[in-house]
Amino acid sequence: MQRVSQATVLRHWLRLECHKPEGPAVAVESLSEQAALDRLLQQKPGAAAFVWRDGPVRWYRTTLSRAEFEQLRVVEGPEDMLWRALSPDGTVLGAARRIARGDADDLAASTGVDVDRVRRFRDDPPGEPLVLARREGCVPPRVADGNYRATARALALVQTGDYDPVRAYLGVCPRPVLSPLYHRACSLVQRVLGKRPW
């Protein structure tokens, strides 16, 4: 893994959003890190929320081994919507297995995921790196951006058994328990010193 700046990842992600038909027309390279984050949050408020909510995020450029890829989880969200509805176990591989054995129209109607798009990407996979996020520790990462691309690669793996290494940007977020503990300890110290805890 190679460490990269958050600005590099945000600009990459925003560039991908700009290439979509409904995407914004933005000169991505001219944006500051904060401006890129603001634009990205406008485009992908749910998927990109972890960048400001769980920060500071440490970013890495990596290539996933087959074992790492098979553990990838789909984007966060309600269990009955989109990718979470498609994948019975919450993994990208689970979504691909369901597509492999299901009817595209039925799956699209019941989940809202464009299954035909996944199949098109399987036959002609885009090579852009995925954007992944995970918390510190042993939890597998989730796909923040690239669920269609990741599921298409997983579908090819399910159908052929072959794995082409997948490139990704991995964001590692601090554990959420550390921040509350820090704030409680800080508050306790301030009370002992006779200061207001805010």
Side-chain angles (χ1 to χ4, degrees):
M1 288 198 303
Q2 176 188 5
R3 188 81 186 258
V4 295
S5 70
Q6 179 161 286
T8 297
V9 178
L10 295 178
R11 289 184 186 120
H12 161 76
W13 193 351
L14 192 54
R15 253 190 315 276
L16 293 176
E17 292 303 312
C18 290
H19 284 85
K20 295 178 181 176
E22 70 279 3
V26 178
V28 175
E29 298 308 319
S30 67
L31 296 176
S32 68
E33 179 180 324
Q34 185 60 50
L37 178 58
D38 290 345
R39 285 288 191 146
L40 191 57
L41 288 171
Q42 290 172 8
Q43 291 298 306
K44 306 286 280 186
F50 76 92
V51 178
W52 63 267
R53 182 188 63 219
D54 299 337
V57 179
R58 292 186 324 273
W59 290 99
Y60 301 90
R61 180 182 296 128
T62 188
T63 301
L64 303 174
S65 70
R66 180 174 176 156
E68 291 168 333
F69 179 77
E70 288 177 348
Q71 294 180 36
L72 280 184
R73 304 189 66 73
V74 296
V75 68
E76 277 187 302
E79 287 186 31
D80 58 343
M81 290 183 65
L82 297 171
W83 295 102
R84 295 287 308 277
L86 179 62
S87 179
D89 63 357
T91 66
V92 170
L93 202 55
R97 287 184 178 126
R98 191 157 176 218
I99 290 171
R101 66 175 184 264
D103 177 81
D105 293 335
D106 290 345
L107 286 174
S110 65
T111 66
V113 173
D114 184 349
V115 175
D116 286 332
R117 183 176 176 199
V118 172
R119 290 183 171 163
R120 285 192 308 274
F121 281 178
R122 175 204 55 205
D123 297 334
D124 186 19
E128 296 92 356
L130 305 174
V131 178
L132 312 176
R134 74 170 176 81
R135 295 214 182 269
E136 289 176 334
C138 298
V139 180
R142 291 192 174 277
V143 178
D145 182 68
N147 283 277
Y148 279 100
R149 289 176 278 134
T151 305
R153 291 292 193 97
L155 184 57
L157 174 61
V158 165
Q159 293 176 331
T160 68
D162 295 330
Y163 173 68
D164 281 331
V166 174
R167 295 177 304 130
Y169 288 109
L170 173 64
V172 180
C173 306
R175 293 181 193 179
V177 76
L178 296 179
S179 180
L181 285 176
Y182 168 78
H183 290 295
R184 282 191 212 125
C186 182
S187 177
L188 178 63
V189 168
Q190 288 180 338
R191 278 198 301 268
V192 168
L193 295 175
K195 298 179 179 178
R196 291 186 177 199
W198 42 269

